[in-house]
């Protein structure tokens, strides 16, 4: 199956710093990548949809200036949490779609962010 | 509004069979997905149904009835490693995935 990697797997940072998370599709080209956030014991919450070469589409309530998304190539998307605060501590998961809109999303292993 | 319903938690015995139900009300339908998520890990893809009927894949099967807005995931010969949350997700008319809250499955020896 399609493989998606994420880096780092875990990060601890001080409040006010910025954190960058990378999402890569290893064996396929992903025209669309998705960024999710998951709080403990809750379901996935879509933050934004990222299409290669264009601006990301953010879900309602997600601050685009705080969560910067760059999808510069068909195999790489990055999420930067700017000026992180403790309430941003969460499990961030990316997924990538192998083909068109109806295709399956494959998930990266996730990045656990802890902001002190 | 759009809504996906699945039980919060289920318990089953090792070696047995368990059926996890999912009902949905969405604006349009472009397929239903089942994902498995172990605690602290990202979801992994299990199955995809877009037509009515049963899709079998090893110990796992998934069923869909579009007219009833209903699906189930059937797990046979349960193993301890099957203890996880099972997420039902429906792709709506805009090709957005609408997620259920997940069903936590506890397997007892």
């Amino acid at each position: 199956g399609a493989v998606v990697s994420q880096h780092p797997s875990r990060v601890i940072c001080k409040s006010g710093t910025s954190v960058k998370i990378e999402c890569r599709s290893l064996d396929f080209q992903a025209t669309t990548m998705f960024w999710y956030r998951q709080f403990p014991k809750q379901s996935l919450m879509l933050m934004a949809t990222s299409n290669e070469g264009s601006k990301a589409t953010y879900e309602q309530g997600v601050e685009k200036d705080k969560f910067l998304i760059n999808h510069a190539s068909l195999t790489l998307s990055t999420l930067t949490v700017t000026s992180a605060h403790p309430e941003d501590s969460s499990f961030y998961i990316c997924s990538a779609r192998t083909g068109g809109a109806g295709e399956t999303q494959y998930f990266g292993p996730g990045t656990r962010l802890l902001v002190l | 509004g759009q809504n996906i319903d699945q039980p919060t938690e289920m318990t089953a015995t090792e070696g047995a069979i368990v059926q996890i139900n999912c009902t949905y009300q969405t604006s349009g339908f472009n397929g239903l997905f089942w994902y498995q998520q172990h605690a602290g890990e990202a979801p992994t893809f299990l199955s995809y149904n877009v037509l009515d009927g049963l899709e079998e894949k090893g110990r796992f099967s998934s069923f869909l009835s579009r007219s009833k807005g209903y699906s189930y995931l059937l797990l046979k010969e349960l193993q301890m490693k099957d203890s996880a949350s099972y997420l039902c997700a429906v792709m709506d008319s805009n090709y957005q995935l609408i997620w259920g809250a997940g069903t936590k499955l506890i397997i007892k020896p």
Side-chain angles (χ1 to χ4, degrees):
Chain A
V3 179
V4 178
S5 71
Q6 253 180 271
H7 178 80
S9 58
R10 180 174 295 187
V11 59
I12 301 174
C13 70
K14 292 182 179 180
S15 184
T17 60
S18 293
V19 175
K20 179 185 282 189
I21 303 170
E22 291 187 350
C23 177
R24 293 181 185 272
S25 56
L26 297 185
D27 52 359
F28 65 97
Q29 292 185 328
T31 54
T32 305
M33 288 185 170
F34 304 85
W35 287 96
Y36 291 87
R37 181 167 51 184
Q38 187 176 35
F39 292 105
K41 299 185 180 180
Q42 295 186 24
S43 189
L44 300 168
M45 291 176 51
L46 179 64
M47 298 176 67
T49 302
S50 167
N51 289 296
E52 185 266 338
S54 61
K55 291 183 178 180
T57 302
Y58 290 81
E59 295 300 300
Q60 194 172 9
V62 178
E63 300 174 59
K64 60 181 180 182
D65 294 331
K66 180 171 182 63
F67 299 99
L68 301 178
I69 292 173
N70 184 285
H71 193 162
S73 76
L74 287 171
T75 59
L76 174 65
S77 177
T78 60
L79 167 68
T80 301
V81 182
T82 61
S83 187
H85 291 286
E87 58 265 30
D88 298 324
S89 298
S90 188
F91 191 41
Y92 291 86
I93 312 170
C94 74
S95 70
R97 198 164 59 197
T98 57
E103 295 294 317
T104 300
Q105 290 181 30
Y106 293 91
F107 287 84
T111 297
R112 194 162 298 282
L113 171 64
L114 176 62
V115 185
L116 301 177
Chain B
Q2 310 207 87
N3 196 48
I4 309 285
D5 284 319
Q6 49 181 135
T8 304
E9 186 174 298
M10 299 182 71
T11 302
T13 305
E14 190 176 16
I17 299 173
V18 71
Q19 177 174 311
I20 302 174
N21 296 324
C22 171
T23 57
Y24 63 89
Q25 291 178 306
T26 57
S27 55
F29 179 83
N30 279 300
L32 184 144
F33 297 80
W34 283 97
Y35 285 85
Q36 180 191 60
Q37 186 177 26
H38 284 100
E41 299 181 12
T44 54
F45 170 73
L46 289 179
S47 67
Y48 170 66
N49 294 67
V50 67
L51 299 176
D52 290 349
L54 186 68
E55 294 278 344
E56 296 186 75
K57 193 184 292 185
R59 294 189 298 116
F60 293 3
S61 302
S62 57
F63 171 83
L64 174 67
S65 168
R66 289 172 295 171
S67 62
K68 295 181 180 178
Y70 167 70
S71 172
Y72 67 72
L73 180 69
L74 190 72
L75 294 78
K76 302 177 184 176
E77 301 169 17
L78 286 170
Q79 301 174 10
M80 297 304 292
K81 66 178 183 180
D82 297 330
S83 292
S85 286
Y86 291 85
L87 305 171
C88 172
V90 173
M91 188 169 284
D92 68 9
S93 56
N94 295 318
Y95 295 98
Q96 291 270 51
L97 276 180
I98 311 300
W99 292 89
T103 298
K104 182 178 180 180
L105 177 63
I106 300 169
I107 309 295
K108 295 186 175 181

mmCIF file of all heavy atoms in Angstrom, chain A residues 25-54:
data_model
loop_
_atom_site.group_PDB
_atom_site.id
_atom_site.type_symbol
_atom_site.label_atom_id
_atom_site.label_comp_id
_atom_site.label_asym_id
_atom_site.label_seq_id
_atom_site.Cartn_x
_atom_site.Cartn_y
_atom_site.Cartn_z
ATOM 1 N N SER A 25 4.952 11.671 0.998
ATOM 2 C CA SER A 25 4.460 10.450 0.366
ATOM 3 C C SER A 25 5.684 9.772 -0.248
ATOM 4 O O SER A 25 6.386 10.360 -1.061
ATOM 5 C CB SER A 25 3.412 10.768 -0.702
ATOM 6 O OG SER A 25 3.918 11.671 -1.662
ATOM 7 N N LEU A 26 5.954 8.539 0.185
ATOM 8 C CA LEU A 26 7.225 7.900 -0.159
ATOM 9 C C LEU A 26 7.198 7.166 -1.499
ATOM 10 O O LEU A 26 8.215 7.074 -2.170
ATOM 11 C CB LEU A 26 7.622 6.941 0.960
ATOM 12 C CG LEU A 26 7.874 7.596 2.319
ATOM 13 C CD1 LEU A 26 8.386 6.567 3.315
ATOM 14 C CD2 LEU A 26 8.851 8.755 2.204
ATOM 15 N N ASP A 27 6.089 6.602 -1.868
ATOM 16 C CA ASP A 27 6.086 5.776 -3.075
ATOM 17 C C ASP A 27 4.994 6.172 -4.050
ATOM 18 O O ASP A 27 4.634 5.383 -4.932
ATOM 19 C CB ASP A 27 5.955 4.294 -2.703
ATOM 20 C CG ASP A 27 4.772 4.038 -1.774
ATOM 21 O OD1 ASP A 27 4.071 5.002 -1.411
ATOM 22 O OD2 ASP A 27 4.548 2.869 -1.423
ATOM 23 N N PHE A 28 4.503 7.395 -3.915
ATOM 24 C CA PHE A 28 3.508 7.866 -4.863
ATOM 25 C C PHE A 28 3.498 9.393 -4.846
ATOM 26 O O PHE A 28 4.010 10.021 -3.922
ATOM 27 C CB PHE A 28 2.109 7.330 -4.531
ATOM 28 C CG PHE A 28 1.551 7.824 -3.220
ATOM 29 C CD1 PHE A 28 0.672 8.897 -3.167
ATOM 30 C CD2 PHE A 28 1.916 7.207 -2.022
ATOM 31 C CE1 PHE A 28 0.165 9.342 -1.957
ATOM 32 C CE2 PHE A 28 1.403 7.646 -0.810
ATOM 33 C CZ PHE A 28 0.530 8.711 -0.782
ATOM 34 N N GLN A 29 2.920 9.966 -5.868
ATOM 35 C CA GLN A 29 2.795 11.410 -5.932
ATOM 36 C C GLN A 29 1.420 11.817 -5.403
ATOM 37 O O GLN A 29 0.401 11.291 -5.853
ATOM 38 C CB GLN A 29 2.978 11.898 -7.372
ATOM 39 C CG GLN A 29 4.399 11.697 -7.872
ATOM 40 C CD GLN A 29 4.613 12.283 -9.255
ATOM 41 O OE1 GLN A 29 3.703 12.316 -10.065
ATOM 42 N NE2 GLN A 29 5.820 12.763 -9.516
ATOM 43 N N ALA A 30 1.426 12.724 -4.449
ATOM 44 C CA ALA A 30 0.191 13.124 -3.789
ATOM 45 C C ALA A 30 -0.183 14.536 -4.215
ATOM 46 O O ALA A 30 0.427 15.500 -3.777
ATOM 47 C CB ALA A 30 0.358 13.053 -2.276
ATOM 48 N N THR A 31 -1.162 14.646 -5.064
ATOM 49 C CA THR A 31 -1.602 15.983 -5.467
ATOM 50 C C THR A 31 -2.322 16.693 -4.338
ATOM 51 O O THR A 31 -2.345 17.916 -4.281
ATOM 52 C CB THR A 31 -2.546 15.902 -6.686
ATOM 53 O OG1 THR A 31 -3.614 14.994 -6.374
ATOM 54 C CG2 THR A 31 -1.810 15.398 -7.910
ATOM 55 N N THR A 32 -2.898 15.901 -3.434
ATOM 56 C CA THR A 32 -3.630 16.481 -2.307
ATOM 57 C C THR A 32 -3.180 15.844 -1.000
ATOM 58 O O THR A 32 -3.094 14.620 -0.915
ATOM 59 C CB THR A 32 -5.147 16.283 -2.466
ATOM 60 O OG1 THR A 32 -5.564 16.811 -3.721
ATOM 61 C CG2 THR A 32 -5.900 16.996 -1.347
ATOM 62 N N MET A 33 -2.885 16.685 -0.035
ATOM 63 C CA MET A 33 -2.560 16.202 1.317
ATOM 64 C C MET A 33 -3.491 16.888 2.301
ATOM 65 O O MET A 33 -3.970 18.002 2.062
ATOM 66 C CB MET A 33 -1.107 16.488 1.665
ATOM 67 C CG MET A 33 -0.123 15.609 0.899
ATOM 68 S SD MET A 33 1.570 15.878 1.463
ATOM 69 C CE MET A 33 2.420 14.536 0.631
ATOM 70 N N PHE A 34 -3.745 16.214 3.388
ATOM 71 C CA PHE A 34 -4.667 16.706 4.405
ATOM 72 C C PHE A 34 -3.943 16.760 5.747
ATOM 73 O O PHE A 34 -3.124 15.900 6.058
ATOM 74 C CB PHE A 34 -5.881 15.772 4.529
ATOM 75 C CG PHE A 34 -6.626 15.557 3.239
ATOM 76 C CD1 PHE A 34 -6.204 14.584 2.339
ATOM 77 C CD2 PHE A 34 -7.737 16.306 2.934
ATOM 78 C CE1 PHE A 34 -6.882 14.370 1.145
ATOM 79 C CE2 PHE A 34 -8.433 16.099 1.747
ATOM 80 C CZ PHE A 34 -8.003 15.134 0.853
ATOM 81 N N TRP A 35 -4.277 17.754 6.524
ATOM 82 C CA TRP A 35 -3.741 17.857 7.884
ATOM 83 C C TRP A 35 -4.884 17.764 8.874
ATOM 84 O O TRP A 35 -5.891 18.466 8.769
ATOM 85 C CB TRP A 35 -2.981 19.170 8.073
ATOM 86 C CG TRP A 35 -1.666 19.163 7.366
ATOM 87 C CD1 TRP A 35 -1.377 19.667 6.136
ATOM 88 C CD2 TRP A 35 -0.445 18.599 7.854
ATOM 89 N NE1 TRP A 35 -0.052 19.449 5.817
ATOM 90 C CE2 TRP A 35 0.543 18.802 6.858
ATOM 91 C CE3 TRP A 35 -0.071 17.952 9.041
ATOM 92 C CZ2 TRP A 35 1.859 18.376 7.018
ATOM 93 C CZ3 TRP A 35 1.230 17.521 9.192
ATOM 94 C CH2 TRP A 35 2.190 17.742 8.190
ATOM 95 N N TYR A 36 -4.700 16.854 9.853
ATOM 96 C CA TYR A 36 -5.709 16.623 10.877
ATOM 97 C C TYR A 36 -5.094 16.885 12.248
ATOM 98 O O TYR A 36 -3.895 16.777 12.445
ATOM 99 C CB TYR A 36 -6.190 15.167 10.861
ATOM 100 C CG TYR A 36 -7.010 14.764 9.651
ATOM 101 C CD1 TYR A 36 -6.390 14.305 8.487
ATOM 102 C CD2 TYR A 36 -8.398 14.790 9.675
ATOM 103 C CE1 TYR A 36 -7.134 13.911 7.387
ATOM 104 C CE2 TYR A 36 -9.157 14.383 8.580
ATOM 105 C CZ TYR A 36 -8.510 13.949 7.442
ATOM 106 O OH TYR A 36 -9.253 13.540 6.361
ATOM 107 N N ARG A 37 -5.964 17.153 13.183
ATOM 108 C CA ARG A 37 -5.568 17.255 14.583
ATOM 109 C C ARG A 37 -6.486 16.331 15.381
ATOM 110 O O ARG A 37 -7.687 16.230 15.069
ATOM 111 C CB ARG A 37 -5.705 18.701 15.068
ATOM 112 C CG ARG A 37 -5.294 18.932 16.502
ATOM 113 C CD ARG A 37 -5.158 20.416 16.790
ATOM 114 N NE ARG A 37 -6.315 21.193 16.384
ATOM 115 C CZ ARG A 37 -6.396 22.508 16.471
ATOM 116 N NH1 ARG A 37 -5.378 23.203 16.943
ATOM 117 N NH2 ARG A 37 -7.472 23.139 16.087
ATOM 118 N N GLN A 38 -5.919 15.676 16.346
ATOM 119 C CA GLN A 38 -6.726 14.771 17.163
ATOM 120 C C GLN A 38 -6.388 14.967 18.631
ATOM 121 O O GLN A 38 -5.244 14.727 19.043
ATOM 122 C CB GLN A 38 -6.498 13.318 16.748
ATOM 123 C CG GLN A 38 -7.429 12.335 17.453
ATOM 124 C CD GLN A 38 -7.244 10.909 16.956
ATOM 125 O OE1 GLN A 38 -6.130 10.503 16.638
ATOM 126 N NE2 GLN A 38 -8.320 10.139 16.906
ATOM 127 N N PHE A 39 -7.365 15.387 19.402
ATOM 128 C CA PHE A 39 -7.189 15.507 20.842
ATOM 129 C C PHE A 39 -7.527 14.162 21.475
ATOM 130 O O PHE A 39 -8.238 13.345 20.879
ATOM 131 C CB PHE A 39 -8.061 16.635 21.393
ATOM 132 C CG PHE A 39 -7.615 17.993 20.941
ATOM 133 C CD1 PHE A 39 -8.319 18.682 19.961
ATOM 134 C CD2 PHE A 39 -6.478 18.580 21.468
ATOM 135 C CE1 PHE A 39 -7.913 19.936 19.532
ATOM 136 C CE2 PHE A 39 -6.048 19.828 21.043
ATOM 137 C CZ PHE A 39 -6.769 20.504 20.064
ATOM 138 N N PRO A 40 -7.016 13.928 22.677
ATOM 139 C CA PRO A 40 -7.211 12.629 23.324
ATOM 140 C C PRO A 40 -8.667 12.186 23.362
ATOM 141 O O PRO A 40 -9.553 12.972 23.690
ATOM 142 C CB PRO A 40 -6.642 12.843 24.721
ATOM 143 C CG PRO A 40 -5.633 13.922 24.553
ATOM 144 C CD PRO A 40 -6.196 14.833 23.506
ATOM 145 N N LYS A 41 -8.889 10.972 22.983
ATOM 146 C CA LYS A 41 -10.209 10.336 23.027
ATOM 147 C C LYS A 41 -11.225 11.023 22.132
ATOM 148 O O LYS A 41 -12.432 10.884 22.341
ATOM 149 C CB LYS A 41 -10.728 10.263 24.467
ATOM 150 C CG LYS A 41 -9.831 9.437 25.383
ATOM 151 C CD LYS A 41 -10.424 9.285 26.761
ATOM 152 C CE LYS A 41 -9.497 8.459 27.641
ATOM 153 N NZ LYS A 41 -10.042 8.282 29.005
ATOM 154 N N GLN A 42 -10.759 11.750 21.147
ATOM 155 C CA GLN A 42 -11.665 12.382 20.194
ATOM 156 C C GLN A 42 -11.332 11.923 18.784
ATOM 157 O O GLN A 42 -10.263 11.370 18.525
ATOM 158 C CB GLN A 42 -11.567 13.909 20.275
ATOM 159 C CG GLN A 42 -12.041 14.465 21.601
ATOM 160 C CD GLN A 42 -12.069 15.978 21.589
ATOM 161 O OE1 GLN A 42 -12.168 16.604 20.527
ATOM 162 N NE2 GLN A 42 -11.989 16.578 22.764
ATOM 163 N N SER A 43 -12.261 12.156 17.868
ATOM 164 C CA SER A 43 -12.026 11.747 16.497
ATOM 165 C C SER A 43 -11.124 12.754 15.794
ATOM 166 O O SER A 43 -10.748 13.780 16.353
ATOM 167 C CB SER A 43 -13.355 11.616 15.763
ATOM 168 O OG SER A 43 -13.162 11.016 14.501
ATOM 169 N N LEU A 44 -10.772 12.422 14.575
ATOM 170 C CA LEU A 44 -9.938 13.302 13.780
ATOM 171 C C LEU A 44 -10.695 14.580 13.423
ATOM 172 O O LEU A 44 -11.883 14.538 13.119
ATOM 173 C CB LEU A 44 -9.541 12.600 12.484
ATOM 174 C CG LEU A 44 -8.763 11.304 12.626
ATOM 175 C CD1 LEU A 44 -8.691 10.591 11.299
ATOM 176 C CD2 LEU A 44 -7.374 11.568 13.148
ATOM 177 N N MET A 45 -9.993 15.696 13.440
ATOM 178 C CA MET A 45 -10.573 16.964 13.002
ATOM 179 C C MET A 45 -9.738 17.495 11.855
ATOM 180 O O MET A 45 -8.547 17.757 12.018
ATOM 181 C CB MET A 45 -10.579 17.968 14.153
ATOM 182 C CG MET A 45 -11.550 17.639 15.274
ATOM 183 S SD MET A 45 -11.407 18.799 16.646
ATOM 184 C CE MET A 45 -11.536 20.361 15.797
ATOM 185 N N LEU A 46 -10.369 17.652 10.701
ATOM 186 C CA LEU A 46 -9.655 18.161 9.547
ATOM 187 C C LEU A 46 -9.310 19.629 9.772
ATOM 188 O O LEU A 46 -10.180 20.435 10.126
ATOM 189 C CB LEU A 46 -10.510 18.009 8.280
ATOM 190 C CG LEU A 46 -9.900 18.514 6.982
ATOM 191 C CD1 LEU A 46 -8.653 17.707 6.608
ATOM 192 C CD2 LEU A 46 -10.924 18.453 5.851
ATOM 193 N N MET A 47 -8.024 19.967 9.582
ATOM 194 C CA MET A 47 -7.600 21.344 9.728
ATOM 195 C C MET A 47 -7.573 22.037 8.368
ATOM 196 O O MET A 47 -8.049 23.170 8.238
ATOM 197 C CB MET A 47 -6.203 21.398 10.336
ATOM 198 C CG MET A 47 -6.103 20.811 11.723
ATOM 199 S SD MET A 47 -4.401 20.808 12.294
ATOM 200 C CE MET A 47 -4.086 22.561 12.452
ATOM 201 N N ALA A 48 -6.984 21.349 7.380
ATOM 202 C CA ALA A 48 -6.818 21.994 6.082
ATOM 203 C C ALA A 48 -6.561 20.960 5.004
ATOM 204 O O ALA A 48 -6.079 19.857 5.289
ATOM 205 C CB ALA A 48 -5.676 22.996 6.125
ATOM 206 N N THR A 49 -6.885 21.339 3.800
ATOM 207 C CA THR A 49 -6.611 20.528 2.608
ATOM 208 C C THR A 49 -5.573 21.265 1.781
ATOM 209 O O THR A 49 -5.727 22.466 1.497
ATOM 210 C CB THR A 49 -7.886 20.325 1.785
ATOM 211 O OG1 THR A 49 -8.874 19.703 2.607
ATOM 212 C CG2 THR A 49 -7.625 19.470 0.568
ATOM 213 N N SER A 50 -4.541 20.534 1.403
ATOM 214 C CA SER A 50 -3.416 21.154 0.723
ATOM 215 C C SER A 50 -3.227 20.557 -0.672
ATOM 216 O O SER A 50 -3.054 19.352 -0.804
ATOM 217 C CB SER A 50 -2.153 20.922 1.573
ATOM 218 O OG SER A 50 -0.992 21.226 0.856
ATOM 219 N N ASN A 51 -3.297 21.392 -1.677
ATOM 220 C CA ASN A 51 -3.060 20.952 -3.047
ATOM 221 C C ASN A 51 -1.709 21.464 -3.517
ATOM 222 O O ASN A 51 -1.360 22.622 -3.276
ATOM 223 C CB ASN A 51 -4.160 21.457 -3.976
ATOM 224 C CG ASN A 51 -5.478 20.749 -3.724
ATOM 225 O OD1 ASN A 51 -5.592 19.549 -3.912
ATOM 226 N ND2 ASN A 51 -6.469 21.492 -3.279
ATOM 227 N N GLU A 52 -0.970 20.620 -4.169
ATOM 228 C CA GLU A 52 0.370 20.961 -4.630
ATOM 229 C C GLU A 52 0.356 22.218 -5.480
ATOM 230 O O GLU A 52 -0.430 22.326 -6.420
ATOM 231 C CB GLU A 52 0.972 19.777 -5.399
ATOM 232 C CG GLU A 52 2.410 19.972 -5.827
ATOM 233 C CD GLU A 52 2.550 20.522 -7.227
ATOM 234 O OE1 GLU A 52 1.615 20.375 -8.031
ATOM 235 O OE2 GLU A 52 3.608 21.105 -7.522
ATOM 236 N N GLY A 53 1.215 23.164 -5.106
ATOM 237 C CA GLY A 53 1.368 24.373 -5.893
ATOM 238 C C GLY A 53 0.335 25.452 -5.665
ATOM 239 O O GLY A 53 0.381 26.490 -6.313
ATOM 240 N N SER A 54 -0.597 25.219 -4.749
ATOM 241 C CA SER A 54 -1.607 26.256 -4.489
ATOM 242 C C SER A 54 -1.810 26.430 -2.987
ATOM 243 O O SER A 54 -1.302 25.653 -2.183
ATOM 244 C CB SER A 54 -2.930 25.900 -5.161
ATOM 245 O OG SER A 54 -3.443 24.695 -4.660
#
